[in-house]
Amino acid sequence: NCGHHYPLLYRARTESFEELESTGLPLGMLPRPPGPFRTRKVSPGDILVFYTDGVTEAGSDADEDDMFGVERLCQVVLANRDRPAQTVIEAVFRAVRRHSGARPLADDATLVVVRLVDSRIFTEQAAVRLLSSHTPVSHFSIVSLVTRPLTVTL
């Protein structure tokens, strides 16, 4: 995973989060990464959250040792779980800015939110095309693009 944080999977049915541990290459590094792959069944309402350390390591204006952290990230996603992916992203960045105050971010802050809204899922091939496009953006909002069985391959 090249030192990146593991993606989070919010499970709507249990209202809980799971870290999707992987020892493979980050998404988008190769057109077709080598396996092995693991799969997770996902259901409507589940949310995948990919993020860089710039989000969770954003420091507080009041206390430089108080980072935004994964717990706060999960709280914001949970509070916005029924909203569109773009709204979840906007809420996270608002919370990061509130937490940081006037303190500038020390690192890039990138966030990808995939919210499963029905029996469609964002495919690995579409993710690789999107993330390897080298489009200079600060965040993506992805809902669902291609019909596919309800599994996520990591």
Side-chain angles (χ1 to χ4, degrees), residues 79-142:
N80 292 277
R81 65 188 174 274
D82 295 325
R83 298 190 171 128
Q86 180 64 40
T87 304
V88 175
I89 288 171
E90 291 165 358
V92 168
F93 281 118
R94 271 194 313 276
V96 167
R97 281 192 299 275
R98 268 194 315 273
H99 177 76
S100 298
R103 183 186 186 103
L105 293 178
D107 201 353
D108 69 287
T110 302
L111 184 63
V112 178
V113 171
V114 181
R115 183 171 178 270
L116 187 64
V117 294
D118 57 25
S119 62
R120 297 168 187 247
I121 189 67
F122 187 65
T123 67
E124 177 184 320
Q125 292 83 8
V128 168
R129 282 195 306 274
L130 175 68
L131 297 179
S132 63
S133 67
H134 305 293
T135 305
V137 296
S138 61
H139 58 271
F140 294 97
S141 173
I142 303 152

